[in-house]
Amino acid sequence: MTLECKNVWEHISGYLDKQLDPKLLTDIEKHLENCEVCSAILDSTRNILVLTADNRIYELPVGYSERLHARLEKAIRETAESRSDST
Amino acid sequence: MQATVEREKGLITRVIAGENDLFHELIRPYERMVYLAILTMLRNEQEAEDASQEVMINAFRHLKSFRGESKFSTWLVTIAMNEARQRLRKAKAAPVDSLDEGKEDREGDFTPAVLTDWREIPSEALEKKEMRQILRQAVDQLPPIYREVLVLRDLEELNQEETASALGIKVPLVKVRLHRARMMLQKLLAPTLRPAAPTKKGFFGRMFQ
């Protein structure tokens, strides 16, 4: 079966996640070999996802961990106290 | 992996038995994960930090209800997503409807940006602050139902089942939304990042000077 570009686009995510069934995968790979548009869409999507997932994109605020554990410590102590009060 | 699960199980049992201080150790590996999940939803650093703290406190208070059917990290991220959704609703930053299942079946445009060639953008490009900003802004522009799936699957690298469980939706819906999220991201970013024409200096040289 010959796929049209827009049929290929519907499966880009499944292709990247390696979730396509073998028959469809073969058809799509055949299409990709001959279609620079779909190849560029696939490559750009893959590349953009790699960039977006990079740890440098989102950084923890300075002092985040210290503030988190300080507040947590306070809450833990309060919870422990209220538990011992109720027993 | 199995060692982590066993270690966590041990820690959880001991915290429940009263060794409260061990809770700090239990959550340490997930501080970033919880913050990132919430930040991408709320798009505000201060609120995300406050919400992350609340999530960890809630997790401590409800640790007994963790049954070990899912991974501890999935349980934690579920609490995080619920907190983020609640705050979004409160702020009315997003229409309440948009977070409900089955509302997005309306026809939308989820076709990618059409280009004929793509030269890979190397990860060194991320050293540029502007580049990181462009990517964050694109993620921010996705509607919440797509953003939450993208962040869990592609940023936090949860698998489909874990993502479905954390969001309280079914796996096929995770797939549909993830596909759409990725296509929207490609559509937003590919034209911006793509070189208009090849030059000697290269795209980034021109763009960020």
Side-chain angles (χ1 to χ4, degrees):
Chain A
M1 189 188 99
T2 321
L3 288 173
E4 285 181 35
C5 292
K6 64 176 195 307
N7 303 125
V8 173
W9 301 347
E10 285 166 17
H11 298 291
I12 284 179
S13 193
Y15 182 91
L16 291 173
D17 288 337
K18 301 187 169 59
Q19 289 175 340
L20 302 183
D21 65 63
K23 169 80 178 80
L24 183 61
L25 182 63
T26 314
D27 289 343
I28 286 181
E29 280 177 341
K30 220 178 280 168
H31 180 101
L32 287 168
E33 274 171 32
N34 301 306
C35 180
E36 59 179 12
V37 170
C38 289
S39 299
I41 290 172
L42 179 69
D43 291 344
S44 59
T45 307
R46 186 193 281 129
N47 189 204
I48 283 166
L49 290 175
V50 168
L51 296 173
T52 313
D54 193 287
N55 275 345
R56 283 167 290 178
I57 301 293
Y58 295 95
E59 283 166 358
L60 284 177
V62 178
Y64 167 83
S65 191
E66 289 76 10
R67 289 190 294 275
L68 167 66
H69 287 278
R71 189 165 162 202
L72 193 54
E73 184 55 38
K74 201 166 160 260
I76 288 174
R77 257 186 279 127
E78 283 167 7
T79 310
E81 278 163 23
S82 70
R83 274 177 194 161
S84 62
D85 285 350
S86 61
T87 48
Chain B
M1 186 71 156
Q2 196 53 37
T4 310
V5 174
E6 288 307 317
R7 188 182 150 272
E8 282 178 350
K9 249 195 217 164
L11 282 173
I12 290 166
T13 311
R14 289 172 66 187
V15 174
I16 292 173
E19 289 183 71
N20 290 336
D21 287 345
L22 290 177
F23 189 73
H24 292 281
E25 204 182 311
L26 178 66
I27 59 147
R28 225 172 270 279
Y30 306 116
E31 287 174 20
R32 183 184 154 81
M33 183 192 79
V34 165
Y35 176 76
L36 178 54
I38 295 177
L39 177 69
T40 45
M41 294 311 291
L42 300 182
R43 302 182 289 193
N44 175 304
E45 285 190 12
Q46 247 173 350
E47 213 196 336
E49 178 162 347
D50 182 65
S52 302
Q53 294 172 352
E54 299 263 336
V55 165
M56 296 305 198
I57 292 170
N58 278 333
F60 171 73
R61 292 193 175 135
H62 298 101
L63 192 61
K64 270 187 194 159
S65 71
F66 173 68
R67 300 263 173 253
E69 287 143 2
S70 64
K71 285 201 273 183
F72 178 67
S73 56
T74 310
W75 184 72
L76 212 50
V77 91
T78 308
I79 302 176
M81 295 315 282
N82 285 338
E83 178 73 26
R85 285 167 160 186
Q86 236 171 51
R87 286 183 185 231
L88 274 182
R89 288 199 175 102
K90 246 187 235 164
K92 298 222 191 300
V96 177
D97 278 354
S98 72
L99 285 167
D100 294 336
E101 190 159 352
K103 296 267 183 184
E104 83 284 23
D105 291 333
R106 279 164 267 150
E107 282 300 299
D109 178 15
F110 303 107
T111 57
V114 174
L115 18 116
T116 48
D117 74 313
W118 179 265
R119 258 153 298 149
E120 188 146 316
I121 296 161
S123 77
E124 292 86 76
L126 296 177
E127 295 303 324
K128 305 266 187 194
K129 198 176 162 206
E130 294 87 339
M131 180 70 179
R132 300 198 294 269
Q133 213 166 0
I134 288 171
L135 291 165
R136 278 198 303 266
Q137 280 168 353
V139 173
D140 281 354
Q141 281 182 49
L142 304 182
I145 55 166
Y146 299 114
R147 208 159 66 225
E148 60 186 12
V149 173
L150 184 93
V151 69
L152 296 188
R153 284 285 285 125
D154 286 342
L155 274 55
E156 311 268 27
E157 295 177 344
L158 269 62
N159 67 32
Q160 282 180 168
E161 288 72 25
E162 290 162 354
T163 304
S165 155
L167 297 175
I169 58 177
K170 299 206 165 62
V171 169
L173 194 58
V174 169
K175 287 192 198 179
V176 170
R177 288 183 181 175
L178 181 63
H179 176 73
R180 291 176 176 179
R182 286 167 166 177
M183 289 303 101
M184 283 189 263
L185 208 56
Q186 191 271 0
K187 193 167 209 160
L188 284 166
L189 285 168
T192 319
L193 302 178
R194 179 189 182 212
T199 62
K200 274 185 189 157
K201 219 179 218 171
F203 170 59
F204 291 105
R206 279 179 291 118
M207 185 167 182
F208 296 124
Q209 262 177 4

